[in-house]
Amino acid sequence: MSESIFQFPIRVYYEDTDAGGIVYYANYLKFCERARTEWLRLLGISQSKFLEQNIGFVVTKVAMSNLASARLDDLLNVKTEIKTLKRASIIFNQQIINQEKVKLCEVEVNVACVDFNKNKPIAIPSFILGALESVS
C-alpha cells in the first residue's frame, strides 16, 4: 500500500444532524476520527492490540474550519493524509467533501503516541511508524 491520501465515505444519518437537518459541527470531528481509524486498520494497525499493551494515540490539538454545511442523507468523502510524521507524533490533514465535490470542512489533527501506564509520550512503535512512512 502506498496511497498517500486515504478516502473514506460517510453517509449523513438523522442522528448526525440538528433539528434543521444540518450536520452538527462536532460530528465532523467524529467523521475524521473514523477515517483515521479505518486508514490505520487498512494499514494493518489494530489500535485495540496496542491498547492491550497500554499504548495508544491521543489527540493533542485540533484546528477545524467549517466552510459549508452537510445535510441529512448527503454522501461525504473524508480525505486523510499525513502532513508531518515525527518519532512520537503525527499531524493529519483532513477534508470533508460532499457528493457535489464541495469542500465542507478542513481539519488538522495532531496526535501523540502515549504510554498509558506512564501517561507520557513515547516513540511510535516501529511497525506502526513503518506503515505510516509507506503512505506519507
Side-chain angles (χ1 to χ4, degrees):
M1 159 133 238
S2 61
E3 279 294 317
S4 63
I5 298 176
F6 177 69
Q7 299 192 50
F8 184 68
I10 299 231
R11 176 73 64 186
V12 175
Y13 295 110
Y14 187 76
E15 67 187 22
D16 301 319
T17 65
D18 61 16
I22 304 290
V23 170
Y24 181 66
Y25 79 95
N27 287 330
Y28 293 115
L29 295 174
K30 291 180 181 183
F31 298 161
C32 288
E33 177 75 28
R34 290 178 198 163
R36 290 191 312 274
T37 298
E38 291 303 322
W39 196 15
L40 291 177
R41 188 182 323 276
L42 185 65
L43 293 171
I45 300 166
S46 169
Q47 293 189 74
S48 59
K49 287 185 182 179
F50 289 101
L51 285 174
E52 291 169 1
Q53 301 169 33
N54 291 305
I55 297 171
F57 291 103
V58 296
V59 172
T60 59
K61 182 179 177 183
V62 172
M64 180 170 72
S65 297
N66 292 321
L67 308 170
S69 298
R71 298 182 176 278
L72 179 64
D73 291 329
D74 280 356
L75 181 60
L76 309 178
N77 184 22
V78 183
K79 293 184 177 184
T80 304
E81 64 184 325
I82 295 172
K83 177 181 178 184
T84 306
L85 179 59
K86 295 184 178 177
R87 196 164 100 31
S89 64
I90 311 161
I91 300 174
F92 291 97
N93 279 336
Q94 295 184 276
Q95 297 179 359
I96 300 176
I97 299 166
N98 70 10
Q99 64 269 10
E100 284 89 29
K101 309 290 186 231
V102 174
K103 187 187 319 178
L104 306 177
C105 185
E106 291 184 280
V107 182
E108 184 172 281
V109 180
N110 298 29
V111 299
C113 189
V114 173
D115 178 330
F116 290 127
N117 284 332
K118 298 177 183 175
N119 201 26
K120 294 194 182 225
I122 60 169
I124 298 169
S126 59
F127 168 75
I128 296 174
L129 193 58
L132 295 172
E133 286 173 340
S134 76
V135 295
S136 63

PDB file of all heavy atoms in Angstrom, residues 51-82:
ATOM      1  N   LEU A  51      -3.697  -1.026  22.603  1.00  0.00           N
ATOM      2  CA  LEU A  51      -4.318  -0.663  23.878  1.00  0.00           C
ATOM      3  C   LEU A  51      -4.093  -1.755  24.920  1.00  0.00           C
ATOM      4  O   LEU A  51      -3.944  -1.465  26.112  1.00  0.00           O
ATOM      5  CB  LEU A  51      -5.809  -0.385  23.703  1.00  0.00           C
ATOM      6  CG  LEU A  51      -6.160   0.943  23.049  1.00  0.00           C
ATOM      7  CD1 LEU A  51      -7.668   1.028  22.808  1.00  0.00           C
ATOM      8  CD2 LEU A  51      -5.680   2.113  23.889  1.00  0.00           C
ATOM      9  N   GLU A  52      -4.083  -3.023  24.476  1.00  0.00           N
ATOM     10  CA  GLU A  52      -3.793  -4.129  25.396  1.00  0.00           C
ATOM     11  C   GLU A  52      -2.401  -3.993  26.002  1.00  0.00           C
ATOM     12  O   GLU A  52      -2.130  -4.499  27.075  1.00  0.00           O
ATOM     13  CB  GLU A  52      -3.910  -5.472  24.669  1.00  0.00           C
ATOM     14  CG  GLU A  52      -5.319  -5.831  24.277  1.00  0.00           C
ATOM     15  CD  GLU A  52      -5.389  -7.035  23.336  1.00  0.00           C
ATOM     16  OE1 GLU A  52      -4.333  -7.615  22.991  1.00  0.00           O
ATOM     17  OE2 GLU A  52      -6.523  -7.382  22.940  1.00  0.00           O
ATOM     18  N   GLN A  53      -1.508  -3.289  25.301  1.00  0.00           N
ATOM     19  CA  GLN A  53      -0.147  -3.035  25.787  1.00  0.00           C
ATOM     20  C   GLN A  53      -0.040  -1.650  26.437  1.00  0.00           C
ATOM     21  O   GLN A  53       1.053  -1.174  26.714  1.00  0.00           O
ATOM     22  CB  GLN A  53       0.850  -3.131  24.633  1.00  0.00           C
ATOM     23  CG  GLN A  53       0.856  -4.465  23.940  1.00  0.00           C
ATOM     24  CD  GLN A  53       1.669  -4.410  22.647  1.00  0.00           C
ATOM     25  OE1 GLN A  53       2.647  -3.695  22.537  1.00  0.00           O
ATOM     26  NE2 GLN A  53       1.237  -5.175  21.657  1.00  0.00           N
ATOM     27  N   ASN A  54      -1.189  -1.014  26.659  1.00  0.00           N
ATOM     28  CA  ASN A  54      -1.272   0.328  27.245  1.00  0.00           C
ATOM     29  C   ASN A  54      -0.577   1.391  26.402  1.00  0.00           C
ATOM     30  O   ASN A  54      -0.005   2.343  26.919  1.00  0.00           O
ATOM     31  CB  ASN A  54      -0.739   0.326  28.680  1.00  0.00           C
ATOM     32  CG  ASN A  54      -1.660  -0.436  29.594  1.00  0.00           C
ATOM     33  OD1 ASN A  54      -2.850  -0.123  29.664  1.00  0.00           O
ATOM     34  ND2 ASN A  54      -1.149  -1.449  30.252  1.00  0.00           N
ATOM     35  N   ILE A  55      -0.636   1.220  25.083  1.00  0.00           N
ATOM     36  CA  ILE A  55      -0.098   2.190  24.140  1.00  0.00           C
ATOM     37  C   ILE A  55      -1.248   2.653  23.255  1.00  0.00           C
ATOM     38  O   ILE A  55      -2.069   1.856  22.825  1.00  0.00           O
ATOM     39  CB  ILE A  55       1.011   1.567  23.261  1.00  0.00           C
ATOM     40  CG1 ILE A  55       2.191   1.135  24.121  1.00  0.00           C
ATOM     41  CG2 ILE A  55       1.452   2.537  22.172  1.00  0.00           C
ATOM     42  CD1 ILE A  55       3.229   0.332  23.362  1.00  0.00           C
ATOM     43  N   GLY A  56      -1.287   3.938  22.991  1.00  0.00           N
ATOM     44  CA  GLY A  56      -2.340   4.445  22.123  1.00  0.00           C
ATOM     45  C   GLY A  56      -2.020   5.828  21.605  1.00  0.00           C
ATOM     46  O   GLY A  56      -0.995   6.427  21.954  1.00  0.00           O
ATOM     47  N   PHE A  57      -2.905   6.338  20.761  1.00  0.00           N
ATOM     48  CA  PHE A  57      -2.779   7.679  20.213  1.00  0.00           C
ATOM     49  C   PHE A  57      -3.795   8.586  20.880  1.00  0.00           C
ATOM     50  O   PHE A  57      -4.956   8.202  21.053  1.00  0.00           O
ATOM     51  CB  PHE A  57      -3.010   7.670  18.698  1.00  0.00           C
ATOM     52  CG  PHE A  57      -1.929   6.983  17.931  1.00  0.00           C
ATOM     53  CD1 PHE A  57      -2.115   5.703  17.432  1.00  0.00           C
ATOM     54  CD2 PHE A  57      -0.721   7.610  17.706  1.00  0.00           C
ATOM     55  CE1 PHE A  57      -1.119   5.067  16.715  1.00  0.00           C
ATOM     56  CE2 PHE A  57       0.286   6.984  16.986  1.00  0.00           C
ATOM     57  CZ  PHE A  57       0.089   5.710  16.499  1.00  0.00           C
ATOM     58  N   VAL A  58      -3.365   9.779  21.252  1.00  0.00           N
ATOM     59  CA  VAL A  58      -4.269  10.766  21.821  1.00  0.00           C
ATOM     60  C   VAL A  58      -4.202  12.039  20.985  1.00  0.00           C
ATOM     61  O   VAL A  58      -3.128  12.414  20.492  1.00  0.00           O
ATOM     62  CB  VAL A  58      -3.954  11.081  23.303  1.00  0.00           C
ATOM     63  CG1 VAL A  58      -4.158   9.857  24.172  1.00  0.00           C
ATOM     64  CG2 VAL A  58      -2.551  11.623  23.469  1.00  0.00           C
ATOM     65  N   VAL A  59      -5.334  12.668  20.824  1.00  0.00           N
ATOM     66  CA  VAL A  59      -5.386  13.932  20.099  1.00  0.00           C
ATOM     67  C   VAL A  59      -4.874  15.021  21.031  1.00  0.00           C
ATOM     68  O   VAL A  59      -5.346  15.156  22.161  1.00  0.00           O
ATOM     69  CB  VAL A  59      -6.821  14.228  19.628  1.00  0.00           C
ATOM     70  CG1 VAL A  59      -6.919  15.627  19.036  1.00  0.00           C
ATOM     71  CG2 VAL A  59      -7.274  13.183  18.609  1.00  0.00           C
ATOM     72  N   THR A  60      -3.905  15.794  20.539  1.00  0.00           N
ATOM     73  CA  THR A  60      -3.335  16.872  21.348  1.00  0.00           C
ATOM     74  C   THR A  60      -3.762  18.254  20.868  1.00  0.00           C
ATOM     75  O   THR A  60      -3.700  19.218  21.619  1.00  0.00           O
ATOM     76  CB  THR A  60      -1.795  16.798  21.355  1.00  0.00           C
ATOM     77  OG1 THR A  60      -1.314  16.895  20.010  1.00  0.00           O
ATOM     78  CG2 THR A  60      -1.325  15.496  21.986  1.00  0.00           C
ATOM     79  N   LYS A  61      -4.194  18.337  19.599  1.00  0.00           N
ATOM     80  CA  LYS A  61      -4.604  19.634  19.054  1.00  0.00           C
ATOM     81  C   LYS A  61      -5.477  19.406  17.832  1.00  0.00           C
ATOM     82  O   LYS A  61      -5.218  18.504  17.048  1.00  0.00           O
ATOM     83  CB  LYS A  61      -3.372  20.447  18.668  1.00  0.00           C
ATOM     84  CG  LYS A  61      -3.669  21.823  18.131  1.00  0.00           C
ATOM     85  CD  LYS A  61      -2.376  22.553  17.796  1.00  0.00           C
ATOM     86  CE  LYS A  61      -2.667  23.910  17.186  1.00  0.00           C
ATOM     87  NZ  LYS A  61      -1.431  24.595  16.799  1.00  0.00           N
ATOM     88  N   VAL A  62      -6.499  20.257  17.684  1.00  0.00           N
ATOM     89  CA  VAL A  62      -7.373  20.213  16.513  1.00  0.00           C
ATOM     90  C   VAL A  62      -7.593  21.643  16.025  1.00  0.00           C
ATOM     91  O   VAL A  62      -7.886  22.536  16.819  1.00  0.00           O
ATOM     92  CB  VAL A  62      -8.755  19.587  16.847  1.00  0.00           C
ATOM     93  CG1 VAL A  62      -9.706  19.729  15.684  1.00  0.00           C
ATOM     94  CG2 VAL A  62      -8.612  18.144  17.249  1.00  0.00           C
ATOM     95  N   ALA A  63      -7.459  21.843  14.726  1.00  0.00           N
ATOM     96  CA  ALA A  63      -7.837  23.106  14.089  1.00  0.00           C
ATOM     97  C   ALA A  63      -8.843  22.755  13.006  1.00  0.00           C
ATOM     98  O   ALA A  63      -8.554  21.937  12.127  1.00  0.00           O
ATOM     99  CB  ALA A  63      -6.618  23.792  13.494  1.00  0.00           C
ATOM    100  N   MET A  64     -10.046  23.345  13.095  1.00  0.00           N
ATOM    101  CA  MET A  64     -11.116  22.986  12.165  1.00  0.00           C
ATOM    102  C   MET A  64     -11.719  24.246  11.561  1.00  0.00           C
ATOM    103  O   MET A  64     -12.015  25.206  12.276  1.00  0.00           O
ATOM    104  CB  MET A  64     -12.200  22.190  12.899  1.00  0.00           C
ATOM    105  CG  MET A  64     -13.342  21.767  12.011  1.00  0.00           C
ATOM    106  SD  MET A  64     -14.484  20.585  12.794  1.00  0.00           S
ATOM    107  CE  MET A  64     -15.324  21.605  13.973  1.00  0.00           C
ATOM    108  N   SER A  65     -11.889  24.224  10.252  1.00  0.00           N
ATOM    109  CA  SER A  65     -12.573  25.307   9.536  1.00  0.00           C
ATOM    110  C   SER A  65     -13.814  24.724   8.891  1.00  0.00           C
ATOM    111  O   SER A  65     -13.718  23.829   8.049  1.00  0.00           O
ATOM    112  CB  SER A  65     -11.667  25.900   8.455  1.00  0.00           C
ATOM    113  OG  SER A  65     -10.529  26.479   9.025  1.00  0.00           O
ATOM    114  N   ASN A  66     -14.977  25.234   9.288  1.00  0.00           N
ATOM    115  CA  ASN A  66     -16.234  24.811   8.677  1.00  0.00           C
ATOM    116  C   ASN A  66     -16.544  25.776   7.540  1.00  0.00           C
ATOM    117  O   ASN A  66     -16.695  26.976   7.759  1.00  0.00           O
ATOM    118  CB  ASN A  66     -17.359  24.804   9.717  1.00  0.00           C
ATOM    119  CG  ASN A  66     -17.143  23.726  10.751  1.00  0.00           C
ATOM    120  OD1 ASN A  66     -16.705  22.638  10.417  1.00  0.00           O
ATOM    121  ND2 ASN A  66     -17.422  24.013  12.001  1.00  0.00           N
ATOM    122  N   LEU A  67     -16.633  25.246   6.337  1.00  0.00           N
ATOM    123  CA  LEU A  67     -16.788  26.077   5.143  1.00  0.00           C
ATOM    124  C   LEU A  67     -18.203  26.068   4.581  1.00  0.00           C
ATOM    125  O   LEU A  67     -18.631  27.039   3.972  1.00  0.00           O
ATOM    126  CB  LEU A  67     -15.801  25.597   4.078  1.00  0.00           C
ATOM    127  CG  LEU A  67     -14.341  25.484   4.560  1.00  0.00           C
ATOM    128  CD1 LEU A  67     -13.492  24.774   3.528  1.00  0.00           C
ATOM    129  CD2 LEU A  67     -13.794  26.851   4.904  1.00  0.00           C
ATOM    130  N   ALA A  68     -18.894  24.948   4.750  1.00  0.00           N
ATOM    131  CA  ALA A  68     -20.270  24.795   4.267  1.00  0.00           C
ATOM    132  C   ALA A  68     -20.903  23.664   5.067  1.00  0.00           C
ATOM    133  O   ALA A  68     -20.215  22.946   5.784  1.00  0.00           O
ATOM    134  CB  ALA A  68     -20.293  24.494   2.770  1.00  0.00           C
ATOM    135  N   SER A  69     -22.210  23.519   4.932  1.00  0.00           N
ATOM    136  CA  SER A  69     -22.928  22.537   5.742  1.00  0.00           C
ATOM    137  C   SER A  69     -23.251  21.266   4.982  1.00  0.00           C
ATOM    138  O   SER A  69     -23.626  21.314   3.802  1.00  0.00           O
ATOM    139  CB  SER A  69     -24.245  23.139   6.245  1.00  0.00           C
ATOM    140  OG  SER A  69     -23.989  24.253   7.067  1.00  0.00           O
ATOM    141  N   ALA A  70     -23.137  20.156   5.681  1.00  0.00           N
ATOM    142  CA  ALA A  70     -23.649  18.881   5.162  1.00  0.00           C
ATOM    143  C   ALA A  70     -25.064  18.711   5.689  1.00  0.00           C
ATOM    144  O   ALA A  70     -25.418  19.238   6.750  1.00  0.00           O
ATOM    145  CB  ALA A  70     -22.768  17.732   5.619  1.00  0.00           C
ATOM    146  N   ARG A  71     -25.852  17.954   4.952  1.00  0.00           N
ATOM    147  CA  ARG A  71     -27.258  17.760   5.307  1.00  0.00           C
ATOM    148  C   ARG A  71     -27.603  16.281   5.365  1.00  0.00           C
ATOM    149  O   ARG A  71     -26.874  15.437   4.844  1.00  0.00           O
ATOM    150  CB  ARG A  71     -28.152  18.452   4.274  1.00  0.00           C
ATOM    151  CG  ARG A  71     -27.935  19.948   4.217  1.00  0.00           C
ATOM    152  CD  ARG A  71     -28.865  20.602   3.209  1.00  0.00           C
ATOM    153  NE  ARG A  71     -28.700  22.045   3.233  1.00  0.00           N
ATOM    154  CZ  ARG A  71     -29.283  22.852   4.116  1.00  0.00           C
ATOM    155  NH1 ARG A  71     -30.071  22.372   5.027  1.00  0.00           N
ATOM    156  NH2 ARG A  71     -29.078  24.155   4.061  1.00  0.00           N
ATOM    157  N   LEU A  72     -28.726  16.023   5.964  1.00  0.00           N
ATOM    158  CA  LEU A  72     -29.253  14.668   6.073  1.00  0.00           C
ATOM    159  C   LEU A  72     -29.213  13.973   4.720  1.00  0.00           C
ATOM    160  O   LEU A  72     -29.577  14.556   3.695  1.00  0.00           O
ATOM    161  CB  LEU A  72     -30.696  14.728   6.592  1.00  0.00           C
ATOM    162  CG  LEU A  72     -31.418  13.399   6.753  1.00  0.00           C
ATOM    163  CD1 LEU A  72     -30.738  12.543   7.815  1.00  0.00           C
ATOM    164  CD2 LEU A  72     -32.880  13.644   7.131  1.00  0.00           C
ATOM    165  N   ASP A  73     -28.728  12.732   4.704  1.00  0.00           N
ATOM    166  CA  ASP A  73     -28.629  11.856   3.536  1.00  0.00           C
ATOM    167  C   ASP A  73     -27.475  12.171   2.589  1.00  0.00           C
ATOM    168  O   ASP A  73     -27.266  11.436   1.622  1.00  0.00           O
ATOM    169  CB  ASP A  73     -29.938  11.802   2.732  1.00  0.00           C
ATOM    170  CG  ASP A  73     -31.045  11.088   3.492  1.00  0.00           C
ATOM    171  OD1 ASP A  73     -30.730  10.184   4.285  1.00  0.00           O
ATOM    172  OD2 ASP A  73     -32.215  11.440   3.276  1.00  0.00           O
ATOM    173  N   ASP A  74     -26.713  13.246   2.838  1.00  0.00           N
ATOM    174  CA  ASP A  74     -25.551  13.515   1.990  1.00  0.00           C
ATOM    175  C   ASP A  74     -24.570  12.350   2.077  1.00  0.00           C
ATOM    176  O   ASP A  74     -24.437  11.707   3.121  1.00  0.00           O
ATOM    177  CB  ASP A  74     -24.815  14.788   2.434  1.00  0.00           C
ATOM    178  CG  ASP A  74     -25.475  16.070   1.952  1.00  0.00           C
ATOM    179  OD1 ASP A  74     -26.467  15.986   1.201  1.00  0.00           O
ATOM    180  OD2 ASP A  74     -24.986  17.152   2.338  1.00  0.00           O
ATOM    181  N   LEU A  75     -23.870  12.124   0.989  1.00  0.00           N
ATOM    182  CA  LEU A  75     -22.764  11.168   0.982  1.00  0.00           C
ATOM    183  C   LEU A  75     -21.483  11.990   0.981  1.00  0.00           C
ATOM    184  O   LEU A  75     -21.230  12.761   0.055  1.00  0.00           O
ATOM    185  CB  LEU A  75     -22.813  10.256  -0.244  1.00  0.00           C
ATOM    186  CG  LEU A  75     -21.701   9.209  -0.309  1.00  0.00           C
ATOM    187  CD1 LEU A  75     -21.737   8.281   0.914  1.00  0.00           C
ATOM    188  CD2 LEU A  75     -21.816   8.400  -1.578  1.00  0.00           C
ATOM    189  N   LEU A  76     -20.715  11.830   2.041  1.00  0.00           N
ATOM    190  CA  LEU A  76     -19.490  12.602   2.220  1.00  0.00           C
ATOM    191  C   LEU A  76     -18.269  11.735   1.959  1.00  0.00           C
ATOM    192  O   LEU A  76     -18.322  10.515   2.100  1.00  0.00           O
ATOM    193  CB  LEU A  76     -19.427  13.164   3.647  1.00  0.00           C
ATOM    194  CG  LEU A  76     -20.660  13.924   4.133  1.00  0.00           C
ATOM    195  CD1 LEU A  76     -20.459  14.381   5.570  1.00  0.00           C
ATOM    196  CD2 LEU A  76     -20.979  15.093   3.214  1.00  0.00           C
ATOM    197  N   ASN A  77     -17.191  12.377   1.619  1.00  0.00           N
ATOM    198  CA  ASN A  77     -15.917  11.708   1.442  1.00  0.00           C
ATOM    199  C   ASN A  77     -14.924  12.401   2.370  1.00  0.00           C
ATOM    200  O   ASN A  77     -14.722  13.613   2.260  1.00  0.00           O
ATOM    201  CB  ASN A  77     -15.465  11.815  -0.016  1.00  0.00           C
ATOM    202  CG  ASN A  77     -14.194  11.062  -0.281  1.00  0.00           C
ATOM    203  OD1 ASN A  77     -13.845  10.149   0.450  1.00  0.00           O
ATOM    204  ND2 ASN A  77     -13.495  11.450  -1.326  1.00  0.00           N
ATOM    205  N   VAL A  78     -14.331  11.636   3.274  1.00  0.00           N
ATOM    206  CA  VAL A  78     -13.325  12.187   4.182  1.00  0.00           C
ATOM    207  C   VAL A  78     -11.954  11.813   3.619  1.00  0.00           C
ATOM    208  O   VAL A  78     -11.610  10.641   3.547  1.00  0.00           O
ATOM    209  CB  VAL A  78     -13.483  11.643   5.614  1.00  0.00           C
ATOM    210  CG1 VAL A  78     -12.463  12.284   6.538  1.00  0.00           C
ATOM    211  CG2 VAL A  78     -14.898  11.864   6.130  1.00  0.00           C
ATOM    212  N   LYS A  79     -11.216  12.826   3.196  1.00  0.00           N
ATOM    213  CA  LYS A  79      -9.871  12.622   2.666  1.00  0.00           C
ATOM    214  C   LYS A  79      -8.875  12.864   3.789  1.00  0.00           C
ATOM    215  O   LYS A  79      -8.948  13.884   4.478  1.00  0.00           O
ATOM    216  CB  LYS A  79      -9.585  13.577   1.509  1.00  0.00           C
ATOM    217  CG  LYS A  79     -10.427  13.306   0.292  1.00  0.00           C
ATOM    218  CD  LYS A  79     -10.034  14.219  -0.850  1.00  0.00           C
ATOM    219  CE  LYS A  79     -10.842  13.898  -2.084  1.00  0.00           C
ATOM    220  NZ  LYS A  79     -10.414  14.710  -3.228  1.00  0.00           N
ATOM    221  N   THR A  80      -7.948  11.923   3.957  1.00  0.00           N
ATOM    222  CA  THR A  80      -6.978  11.990   5.040  1.00  0.00           C
ATOM    223  C   THR A  80      -5.581  11.802   4.489  1.00  0.00           C
ATOM    224  O   THR A  80      -5.353  10.896   3.688  1.00  0.00           O
ATOM    225  CB  THR A  80      -7.261  10.888   6.085  1.00  0.00           C
ATOM    226  OG1 THR A  80      -8.609  11.021   6.551  1.00  0.00           O
ATOM    227  CG2 THR A  80      -6.313  10.982   7.268  1.00  0.00           C
ATOM    228  N   GLU A  81      -4.670  12.653   4.921  1.00  0.00           N
ATOM    229  CA  GLU A  81      -3.272  12.480   4.573  1.00  0.00           C
ATOM    230  C   GLU A  81      -2.396  12.915   5.739  1.00  0.00           C
ATOM    231  O   GLU A  81      -2.833  13.677   6.603  1.00  0.00           O
ATOM    232  CB  GLU A  81      -2.908  13.238   3.298  1.00  0.00           C
ATOM    233  CG  GLU A  81      -3.033  14.734   3.385  1.00  0.00           C
ATOM    234  CD  GLU A  81      -2.750  15.407   2.052  1.00  0.00           C
ATOM    235  OE1 GLU A  81      -1.880  14.920   1.298  1.00  0.00           O
ATOM    236  OE2 GLU A  81      -3.402  16.421   1.763  1.00  0.00           O
ATOM    237  N   ILE A  82      -1.186  12.418   5.742  1.00  0.00           N
ATOM    238  CA  ILE A  82      -0.233  12.777   6.786  1.00  0.00           C
ATOM    239  C   ILE A  82       0.515  14.028   6.341  1.00  0.00           C
ATOM    240  O   ILE A  82       1.120  14.052   5.271  1.00  0.00           O
ATOM    241  CB  ILE A  82       0.755  11.625   7.053  1.00  0.00           C
ATOM    242  CG1 ILE A  82      -0.008  10.424   7.618  1.00  0.00           C
ATOM    243  CG2 ILE A  82       1.861  12.079   8.006  1.00  0.00           C
ATOM    244  CD1 ILE A  82       0.834   9.164   7.734  1.00  0.00           C
TER     245      ILE A  82
END
